[in-house]
Each structure stands twice: as C-alpha cells, then as structure tokens.
Amino acid sequence: MSKIDLNQYMNQPDIQPIQVMNEKGEIVNQDLFPDLTDDQLVDLFKKMVWERVLDERSTKLNRQGRLGFYAPTAGEEASEMGTTYAMDKNDFLLPAYRDIPQLIQHGLPMYKAFLWSIGHYMGGQIPEDVQAVPPQIVVASASVQTAGVGLGLKKNGSTNVAYMYTGDGGTSEGDFYEGINFAGVYKVPAVFFVQNNGYAISVPRKHQTAAKSLAQKGVAVGIPGIQVDGMDALAVYTVAKAAREWASQGNGPVVVETLTYRYGPHTLSGDDPRRYRTADQEENWHEKDPLIRFRTYLDHKGLWNEDMEKDWEAQVNKEIDEAIEKAENAPKQTVADFYKLTYSQTPASIQKKIDELEKEEN
Amino acid sequence: MAKLTMIKAINQALDQELKRDKRVLVFGEDVGRNGGVFRATDGLQKENGEDQVFDTPLAESGIIGLAAGLAYQGFRPVPEIQFFGFLYEAMDEVAAQIARQHYRTGGVQNMPVTIRSAFGGGVHTPEMHEDNLEGLVAQIPGLRVVIPSSPYDAKGLLISSIRCDDPVVFLEHMKLYRSMREEVPEQEYTIPLDKADVKREGSDITLVSYGYMVQECLKAADELEQDGISAEVVDLRTVSPIDEDTILESVKKTGKVIVVQEAQDQAGVGGQVSSIIAEKAILSLDAPVARISAPDSVYAFSAAEEDWMPNKADIVKKAKEIVNF
C-alpha cells in the first residue's frame, strides 16, 4: 500500500464549453450574448457564408488543378470567423495552414492566398499594412513566435494582441507548450486559439493527451484556459472578445479551445476521412452546422432570408472568380528570383550566380 | 587600443551595439544578471537595462522563436544558445523559420537575428557542449554562419553580424575565449561578412581553415617555415556562404592545398571547400586536395579529446607529404 494516494492529485480542472446559441438557433445564455448590433450580427454571418463558399470553390478549383495545397475549412466557420471578428485590424496574426480565411479577413488579398496555395512567392508577400505572417506549415511552430510578437508589442507600448491558431494535434508539440509558457512568463498580450476538430489527420483527440480538455493546458503555465462551443459563432465571438480584452489590458496570454469539426478531409492531398470517421459521426456534426443555427436565428429575427443569401453567394463567387484570374496572371517565377529572395543583402558568391542566370535569360 | 581576450572583445561589441541601437536585444539562458556562463554578457544588463538584456526560460526553441517574433515587430534580436550542442532543440526555428522568412515572404520580412553560441573542444566540457555542428547550419540557404578565429575578428564580425539584415549564426570557440589576447580597437569597427581573410601569406601550400584550427594552422606555418616551406593560411571567417574567390586565388598561386577543420571528416564545411577547389581549380593543382579533420566518431569523451582533435603536428606532417607529392 502506497504511503501517498495519487488519486487526490488527479483533480483535473472541470472545464465546460461556453455556449450562447444552441443547435436550433435558440439563445440559451442571454448573459453572454455579444454586444453586437443587428447589422454586425448579419455581417458576422455573411463572413461565415463567405468562408463556406470559399471552401466549396477552393475544393473545386483544387480538383480542376487551378489551386494547389488546400486544407478544407467547412464546419469551422464559427470558430474561424467568430475569433477573427473580435480582432483589431492592427492585431498580429500568425495563422496555420488551415487558417486562410482568417488571414484574408485580416487583410491578405484573396488572390495572394490563392498564389500561396499554388506555390508562388507572391503569395507570401503580405501587404505592409497587414499585421500577419504567411500560413505556418510546421505544426505549432508559430506558438513560440507568438510569444515573441507579443513581447515585441509590449516593448513597443502597443495595446494590440498577437494571435496564433493550431489544431488539437498541435497541442502535443513541444513548441506549443514553450510558446504559452514564454508568453506567460513575460505576461505578453497573446491569444492561443486551439481549434479542436477532433482529429489530427486520422488520430483522434483522445490519442493526443489524457487531459480532459485542451483549454486546461493553460494551467501548466499559469494562464487562463477557456473552452467554447466552436459551432456557435456568438459564443466564440464573446469568448474571443473577452480573451482579447484580457490580453490587451496587460493581464497576459490566454488559451482558447474551440470545439469544432471539419466536414472535409484533412487536406486535399489524398486524405480519406472515411478510413477513420463514421458516416454517423459526420451526420451528427452536420446537425451542429454553425451556419444552420445562425441562419435560423437571424431568420427568426427577420434579419436574413434565402434571397439575401443567394445574392451574397453570387457576390462572393464573383470575388473568387476575379481573385483566381488575378492569381493565374502572376508572373512566372525564375531561379534568379529564388536566389534574390534567399537573402536580403545578397552575398557576393550568390550575386555571381544571379548574374549568370540573368545573362542566360537575356 | 588594448590587448583583449575574445570574450572581452565580444562583450565590448555587444555593449556598443546595444547602445548604438535600442532595437538590439540580447537574451538567453543566464545572460542577464549572471552575465552569461562565460561572462560574454557581463555587465550588459546593468549597463543597458532589463528591457534590452534579459534572461529567458530554459527552452532553446522558445528562445529562437522569441527572436523570430521580436524581429516581426522590428527588433534586432541577438539570442544566445548556451552551447551549440543544444541547437537540436531549436533546429526548426533556426532552419525552417528564421532562415526562410525572407524567402517565404517574397522579400517582405527581413530577419536581422544574430544567434550567438559557444562550441569547440579542448576545454574538457561534458557531453554535447563541444560538438562542431557548423556543417548542419552551413547547409541551410538563407543563413550566414560566421566563426571568428581571433579577438579582433570576433568584435568586427559580431558588429557586422548584428547590423546585417539577414540571420547570422555566430559561433564562438570556447578554447579561443581566453587562450589568446590581441590588440582590439576601442571604437566600433566592422569586418565584411562573406569574405575570407589571408591570415598569413605564403607561396608553397595553402591551408584553408576556420575557427580554432586557424591558430593551429598559423603555428604549423611557423614550424614549416623553419623547414623552408612557405604556407599561406586562409581563414574562411564566414563558413557559409563560402568566399570562393579568396580560396581559389590562393590555391592557384600555391598549387597545393590542405583543408583543415576541427569537425569530423563527414561534418563541417571541409568537404564543400574541397569540392569547390576540385571543380574550379583542378588545373592549378599539382597534388590532391588534402583534408585534416577529426575521426568520424561521436565527439571524444573529454579525457581523450587532445588525442582526438586535429592539431599543429597533424598539419605539419600532412603539409610535408603534400609538398613532396
């Protein structure tokens, strides 16, 4: 018989997801209803429809060979647009590869997002007035950088906030922990969004960690961790807004876990979700669709209808048509370009290679 | 001018850069109040404040990621990795993040980060402190890898590295920290990056080297001179990208060359240097390109490192072989 009963040390935080609007579009927590006008509510919903249309079109464009790497986002509209809607234009965004819609909403022109997918350097050229870096491929690598951006904002006396996104699998990475820990030590303005869609490619969330929630990872570094129904745009917005205020006011970083689901595969590069998910499960999550419940809510309030949605979808499709055309007209890349972009101050030995290549071209 | 050790020269360079540009930030494990485990940052926090010089949690990836994030916000970070053997912990942030950012952003985002780190054998350190891992970072496009061989070079090259808008890995050999003194100007000065330096002129054979091995080459050259052999010593200083012109010019003059490194034969940048010479100066050679490096084993247990590391005697012996080829 052990002298110490470890059961008493097994007390994990009992974190419950925050919900404002249920699956039927009914407000179940009026106290947490966000401070948004009717126009803003419609605006937030329109962004979610925009994201769904962008996902459908991106998938088609990928199938047609007009786009390259693409990680589907359908199902995550509340999580992605709800969080983005709480951001200030001058907040700094460190997106992951699935976070293209947030990046576009933060100011990256859509055609550049398409160029990033196609694999063109112009896709990474973030405009000067957009506070962001290109999407991160190495999972959770942005976490430690987010701590750095947060520290930089703090040193510059800014009240803006740094944001990073990762998935449920990303919370197992060492960098995820190091990032939230550094951010906590320096008490920087940063929010770490964990979009928990249940799977990291084929590996279910329960195989990532024995922790009861991902939000509670904040406990390990002494910062708040909060969990929200990621299919409920109103709850996501309320939580994201609270996290932003907390961070912006000098209280340090926050971990926000959104419980969500991706309807599509991990990426369009050959993943087949039917190998690891059941039709029943997918059906169940479709009933929680963030668009359906928000649409129902707005419809009941007389703020939205089918015609409005059709008009809006047509507008979004037009925007996409123009963006893909612009992306396809980008100049062809050359090896000389790649040499030039490798260094800001080109070493003489590399300049020699650039000169040789340019001589060949002429 | 004063005769300074390399550690003092580095300390002076950091202090002057911190004062010149408030965007320069020095941070790492124990670099603040403690002044660094080798005293490289001694007094810098007291002198320049905790905003500019500060300690970090013990996590190398966190440190380099912090540097990347601070660079996005317009700072010029000078993070320290306590010993370069701990690079592995931070390899993603160094190689996949900082080194690629300028390219990845189509030239929009500069990465003015200087990663300082101690390495090198001969001082009986425990495991993973002394490994010569410059070959790993030398293979990464977008990085510069700078290795000074003397106090004078250390100051000028460090100032240039900090002012460079691209990332630099600045490797400081532990045996050079206090083993020699050299005249180092008090005022700020720079030494160009990407440029090798002929440390000693000669006409019979070229010794191409970097880091502590440059000092062994210079000692070997003295000894060879007594036997009537005139050796030219080329110090790479920046081991990536390599200054081909200076090497080729020397080899074309002498017709014979030994590439000398402390790293294992399969590591370092000696293979790259040899290849450049073989490709671009073969008609000037009248002996094969020779190499001196450590055995291809894991770095020696410290009690045996003197037997394991290349030294002056190895260089003298090989030089006589090549001259008489």
Side-chain angles (χ1 to χ4, degrees):
Chain A
M1 186 69 180
S2 170
K3 288 182 195 284
I4 294 173
D5 178 12
L6 288 176
N7 277 306
Q8 63 181 298
Y9 294 96
M10 266 300 280
N11 297 327
Q12 295 194 18
D14 193 20
I15 292 171
Q16 294 296 324
I18 288 169
Q19 194 181 58
V20 172
M21 176 170 55
N22 68 14
E23 292 168 32
K24 293 178 193 144
E26 298 159 350
I27 302 305
V28 293
N29 191 338
Q30 191 62 50
D31 291 345
L32 294 183
F33 193 89
D35 297 325
L36 294 173
T37 62
D38 284 353
D39 283 352
Q40 287 173 316
L41 290 171
V42 170
D43 191 33
L44 172 54
F45 179 69
K46 282 171 78 177
K47 288 183 192 310
M48 291 165 63
V49 175
W50 168 87
E51 178 171 343
R52 181 66 60 89
V53 174
L54 178 63
D55 180 75
E56 287 164 2
R57 288 292 309 280
S58 297
T59 301
K60 277 186 200 146
L61 289 165
N62 168 282
R63 299 289 186 226
Q64 292 163 359
R66 296 174 73 188
L67 281 185
F69 177 78
Y70 182 67
T73 59
E76 302 191 350
E77 292 87 355
S79 172
E80 300 188 343
M81 294 300 104
T83 50
T84 313
Y85 210 66
M87 287 177 195
D88 182 89
K89 188 190 181 312
N90 290 317
D91 287 344
F92 198 99
L93 177 62
L94 295 99
Y97 49 80
R98 203 181 301 282
D99 307 317
I100 308 301
Q102 299 99 300
L103 190 54
I104 297 173
Q105 288 297 334
H106 205 57
L108 184 77
M110 189 186 278
Y111 82 95
K112 281 184 183 279
F114 287 162
L115 280 168
W116 183 82
S117 166
I118 290 166
H120 193 296
Y121 70 81
M122 284 174 69
Q125 288 176 329
I126 311 274
E128 209 176 309
D129 61 339
V130 177
Q131 301 298 310
V133 283
Q136 181 56 250
I137 293 290
V138 182
V139 173
S141 195
S143 178
V144 283
Q145 296 172 18
T146 303
V149 172
L151 185 58
L153 288 166
K154 191 174 172 177
K155 282 183 179 296
N156 284 330
S158 166
T159 54
N160 285 111
V161 175
Y163 297 95
M164 73 92 67
Y165 287 86
T166 191
D168 37 313
T171 60
S172 301
E173 291 278 3
D175 273 353
F176 178 74
Y177 170 76
E178 286 186 32
I180 60 176
N181 187 51
F182 271 59
V185 166
Y186 297 122
K187 225 176 175 183
V188 310
V191 180
F192 297 80
F193 288 119
V194 176
Q195 299 199 90
N196 175 2
N197 63 26
Y199 288 86
I201 305 188
S202 67
V203 179
R205 143 74 176 85
K206 66 170 195 260
H207 285 175
Q208 296 294 341
T209 175
K212 271 161 67 179
S213 71
L214 301 178
Q216 78 191 66
K217 301 236 167 187
V219 173
V221 299
I223 66 172
I226 186 163
Q227 193 186 55
V228 59
D229 177 351
M231 308 300 260
D232 171 1
L234 300 181
V236 171
Y237 174 80
T238 295
V239 166
K241 193 79 183 160
R244 188 190 183 279
E245 266 177 37
W246 170 273
S248 174
Q249 288 166 1
N251 298 304
V254 187
V255 171
V256 175
E257 176 187 8
T258 64
L259 298 174
T260 182
Y261 197 76
R262 59 169 158 82
Y263 296 142
H266 165 66
T267 68
L268 297 186
S269 313
D271 177 42
D272 173 14
R274 286 295 159 90
R275 293 169 77 103
Y276 52 87
R277 295 196 306 216
T278 62
D280 275 359
Q281 185 197 50
E282 286 180 10
E283 180 65 25
N284 185 24
W285 277 97
H286 275 289
E287 283 167 17
K288 296 180 181 177
D289 191 313
L291 294 183
I292 294 172
R293 70 173 81 172
F294 204 174
R295 187 184 288 119
T296 307
Y297 170 80
L298 293 175
D299 190 23
H300 283 167
K301 284 193 76 176
L303 295 170
W304 193 254
N305 60 46
E306 217 170 296
D307 287 343
M308 289 166 83
E309 187 144 335
K310 272 191 186 137
D311 285 351
W312 176 235
E313 283 180 356
Q315 272 187 60
V316 176
N317 273 307
K318 191 162 167 280
E319 183 194 358
I320 293 168
D321 289 340
E322 285 165 5
I324 190 69
E325 200 187 317
K326 195 165 178 189
E328 287 174 338
N329 284 323
K332 197 171 176 296
Q333 305 175 94
T334 67
V335 178
D337 291 335
F338 296 163
Y339 272 125
K340 284 181 194 167
L341 294 174
T342 298
Y343 293 90
S344 159
Q345 293 163 275
T346 304
S349 56
I350 289 176
Q351 188 56 49
K352 213 190 258 180
K353 291 172 185 168
I354 296 171
D355 294 343
E356 281 165 19
L357 284 165
E358 287 187 338
K359 217 167 134 190
E360 276 173 37
E361 279 169 27
N362 291 329
Chain B
M1 288 243 267
K3 284 203 164 225
L4 297 188
T5 58
M6 187 191 268
I7 203 82
K8 280 280 182 203
I10 288 167
N11 183 272
Q12 201 175 75
L14 290 170
D15 193 38
Q16 289 174 347
E17 287 300 285
L18 283 160
K19 289 194 167 70
R20 185 187 62 84
D21 184 351
K22 294 292 166 202
R23 312 237 106 196
V24 172
L25 303 176
V26 169
F27 52 91
E29 296 156 9
D30 309 290
V31 304
R33 195 177 202 174
N34 190 43
V37 293
F38 292 103
R39 306 289 171 260
T41 55
D42 196 27
L44 297 184
Q45 187 181 66
K46 206 173 164 199
E47 187 71 18
N48 300 283
E50 287 181 35
D51 268 355
Q52 259 187 300
V53 182
F54 53 94
D55 288 320
T56 64
L58 204 169
E60 286 74 17
S61 187
I63 291 169
I64 305 303
L66 197 74
L70 285 163
Y72 301 156
Q73 285 298 305
F75 290 92
R76 304 186 77 86
V78 187
E80 177 181 300
I81 294 181
Q82 203 161 67
F83 295 95
F84 205 51
F86 310 154
L87 164 73
Y88 298 120
E89 298 276 4
M91 199 62 173
D92 170 61
E93 289 297 326
V94 174
Q97 306 301 328
I98 283 182
R100 298 172 74 103
Q101 194 66 11
H102 188 265
Y103 180 86
R104 165 187 291 137
T105 61
V108 167
Q109 173 74 59
N110 286 346
M111 269 288 143
V113 177
T114 303
I115 300 169
R116 292 183 40 252
S117 191
F119 81 109
V123 291
H124 299 284
T125 51
E127 192 176 19
M128 289 307 297
H129 284 54
E130 67 289 77
D131 286 53
N132 291 250
L133 303 179
E134 70 279 5
L136 295 176
V137 276
Q139 290 202 17
I140 299 162
L143 282 185
R144 280 180 176 81
V145 184
V146 174
I147 307 184
S149 67
S150 75
Y152 177 85
D153 280 5
K155 180 173 172 182
L157 288 168
L158 182 53
I159 291 176
S160 295
S161 299
I162 294 170
R163 294 182 187 179
C164 179
D165 284 339
D166 296 309
V168 176
V169 175
F170 191 86
L171 296 175
E172 303 164 4
H173 199 290
M174 282 184 273
K175 197 170 166 70
L176 288 171
Y177 269 155
R178 291 188 173 81
S179 64
M180 68 180 292
R181 284 174 183 273
E182 195 177 29
E183 295 285 349
V184 176
E186 172 73 29
Q187 70 271 25
E188 298 166 29
Y189 62 95
T190 58
I191 292 174
L193 304 179
D194 317 320
K195 195 93 189 76
D197 182 38
V198 177
K199 280 279 187 286
R200 177 191 171 113
E201 294 203 10
S203 54
D204 296 330
I205 187 166
T206 299
L207 305 174
V208 182
S209 190
Y210 57 95
Y212 170 65
M213 283 299 129
V214 171
Q215 297 303 332
E216 291 291 310
C217 286
L218 289 170
K219 284 187 236 163
D222 283 345
E223 200 172 312
L224 288 165
E225 195 176 19
Q226 287 163 18
D227 290 324
I229 298 169
S230 165
E232 178 149 303
V233 177
V234 176
D235 179 359
L236 291 179
R237 294 202 295 207
T238 298
V239 305
S240 180
I242 289 169
D243 170 13
E244 298 186 359
D245 292 348
T246 305
I247 299 169
L248 295 174
E249 198 182 318
S250 176
V251 171
K252 284 174 183 168
K253 179 172 72 172
T254 63
K256 299 180 183 69
V257 60
I258 309 177
V259 182
V260 185
Q261 66 177 20
E262 179 182 322
Q264 291 92 330
D265 207 42
Q266 69 187 46
V269 300
Q272 184 69 9
V273 174
S274 307
S275 168
I276 289 166
I277 297 166
E279 275 181 62
K280 300 192 174 162
I282 195 153
L283 297 177
S284 308
L285 292 174
D286 39 44
V289 180
R291 290 171 63 186
I292 292 177
S293 34
D296 280 329
S297 73
V298 174
Y299 204 98
F301 287 103
S302 62
E305 67 182 339
E306 268 86 17
D307 298 333
W308 187 85
M309 278 172 72
N311 59 26
K312 178 189 74 171
D314 300 325
I315 301 164
V316 169
K317 186 164 168 262
K318 181 66 89 182
K320 287 180 177 169
E321 259 175 60
I322 294 295
V323 167
N324 296 315
F325 179 79

